[in-house]
Amino acid sequence: YEKLEKSDVGKDELAEMGRTFNRMMEALETNYMKQQQFVSNASHEFKTPLTVIESYAKLLLRRGFTNEKVATEALEAIVNESTRMNNMIVQMLELAKNKERIPLSIQQLDVTHLLENTLTQMRQAYNRNFQYQFAESLYIITDEPKLKQLLFILLDNARKYSDGRIEVSATKQTNSITISIRDYGVGIPQDQLPHLFDRFFRVSEDRNRKTGGTGLGLAIANEIAHSLQIKIEVESEVDVGTCFILHIPLSIKNEVESK
Ligand code: ADP
């Protein structure tokens, strides 16, 4: 800094460098605080399934050898909570990976074809009624695996939080494609909608416990949407249902590669 002061660098430039440095430090600090918050939330979220596993394992030790019903109940709870923890770890790694700004793998694809494939897989896996209305082929330029992952998260939620049919439609607008995924399930209270994409957010732990969710799916969906320049809208009413609407640009550029 002293060397710089004696050099030809003007006072204005020095002041500007100082301001830039301050901004960088503030950004680093905010990032650090966010990481800290994430680690603290994650530790808290891991504690719940671990406590359940521990208490059921103890119950199993105490009464499991003499009571088959207790043993079954305990083992089922242990398996469910272990699966949930496993999902949480996979999703947390996914969120960490997205942060590294891996270049997108952009190509032309037919949205109709992608939706048909994804829905066929979902139908086979879950034996649920996914109805769909598409126009003819709808071509866009984007990252296909990421878009598929985003669709999968929303379709999987529609399945988890409803019992009836799920309607999917895709339509072409002037500069975008709109995909809507509508379910007729439990719905989301209006005051909870602003938190929907927060990490670890779940509308109600009691209501959701049987779905074994983690509260990380929509946070991942949000990051994918951001990287693919997709806008997500949500309309929902409790006990009526939920509709997620995606506005997908017809074409995106790979920011990382184009730098
Ligand atoms: P989870 O693993 O809990 O499903 P998500 O991040 O995918 O995590 O969703 C966060 C929460 O938002 C869910 O726990 C649920 O309460 C609510 N939610 C998401 N999608 C729907 C939907 N289609 N209908 C009702 N509630 C939903």
Side-chain angles (χ1 to χ4, degrees):
Y1 189 79
E2 270 175 19
K3 268 188 196 161
L4 275 173
E5 265 199 324
K6 282 179 199 148
S7 76
D8 292 339
V9 181
K11 282 221 159 28
D12 288 350
E13 277 119 318
L14 268 181
E16 183 51 40
M17 278 167 74
R19 281 195 289 275
T20 309
F21 180 73
N22 271 344
R23 276 198 297 273
M24 278 167 62
M25 288 310 286
E26 272 166 25
L28 277 175
E29 205 173 326
T30 315
N31 234 330
Y32 178 71
M33 305 262 281
K34 276 192 188 158
Q35 296 279 2
Q36 291 279 84
Q37 187 65 43
F38 185 56
V39 171
S40 124
N41 286 350
S43 320
H44 178 77
E45 294 298 324
F46 276 133
K47 259 188 97 93
T48 319
L50 270 178
T51 309
V52 176
I53 290 171
E54 191 185 7
S55 54
Y56 271 108
K58 283 179 177 163
L59 178 70
L60 198 56
L61 270 177
R62 268 200 331 269
R63 293 175 48 208
F65 293 105
T66 50
N67 188 330
E68 201 178 317
K69 200 164 158 261
V70 169
T72 309
E73 187 195 325
L75 285 170
E76 268 172 13
I78 290 170
V79 170
N80 286 345
E81 292 302 300
S82 314
T83 307
R84 198 156 85 91
M85 276 188 79
N86 211 345
N87 290 340
M88 214 184 278
I89 291 169
V90 170
Q91 289 179 314
M92 282 170 66
L93 288 173
E94 181 67 32
L95 279 167
K97 193 173 77 184
N98 276 347
K99 280 260 165 296
E100 288 166 16
R101 292 180 64 73
I102 298 164
L104 299 172
S105 129
I106 288 175
Q107 63 185 92
Q108 190 185 55
L109 66 110
D110 177 2
V111 173
T112 301
H113 187 66
L114 176 68
L115 275 168
E116 274 170 350
N117 270 345
T118 314
L119 292 183
T120 304
Q121 286 169 4
M122 299 284 294
R123 261 192 226 106
Q124 269 164 6
Y126 300 110
N127 195 21
R128 283 288 297 271
N129 179 7
F130 289 93
Q131 297 187 344
Y132 60 96
Q133 306 161 351
F134 305 137
E136 68 300 353
S137 292
L138 298 168
Y139 289 101
I140 58 169
I141 296 176
T142 195
D143 184 312
E144 181 165 6
K146 279 193 171 219
L147 179 59
K148 184 164 180 167
Q149 196 185 354
L150 168 59
L151 291 170
F152 186 85
I153 292 170
L154 300 180
L155 290 166
D156 200 37
N157 277 348
R159 168 194 76 78
K160 286 192 302 192
Y161 301 109
S162 75
D163 296 321
R165 71 180 187 285
I166 294 154
E167 295 166 358
V168 181
S169 73
T171 44
K172 187 171 184 305
Q173 317 293 336
T174 320
N175 294 315
S176 61
I177 301 275
T178 305
I179 295 181
S180 79
I181 297 170
R182 180 181 295 280
D183 68 60
Y184 296 90
V186 293
I188 302 158
Q190 288 297 310
D191 64 332
Q192 310 274 297
L193 287 176
H195 310 289
L196 209 55
F197 296 94
D198 294 352
R199 291 173 180 191
F200 299 113
F201 175 79
R202 309 198 74 203
V203 168
S204 144
E205 197 56 45
D206 285 350
R207 194 184 77 170
N208 293 341
R209 182 153 281 280
K210 69 177 165 67
T211 68
T214 59
L216 289 173
L218 286 181
I220 295 175
N222 197 33
E223 293 215 349
I224 297 175
H226 185 72
S227 67
L228 302 186
Q229 294 158 33
I230 294 173
K231 191 167 162 266
I232 307 183
E233 278 178 76
V234 193
E235 294 164 2
S236 191
E237 203 178 322
V238 172
D239 293 334
V240 175
T242 304
C243 185
F244 280 86
I245 303 156
L246 304 181
H247 301 280
I248 310 172
L250 293 183
S251 165
I252 56 164
K253 286 204 184 79
N254 195 337
E255 273 182 29
V256 175
E257 276 179 351
S258 64
K259 266 185 189 162

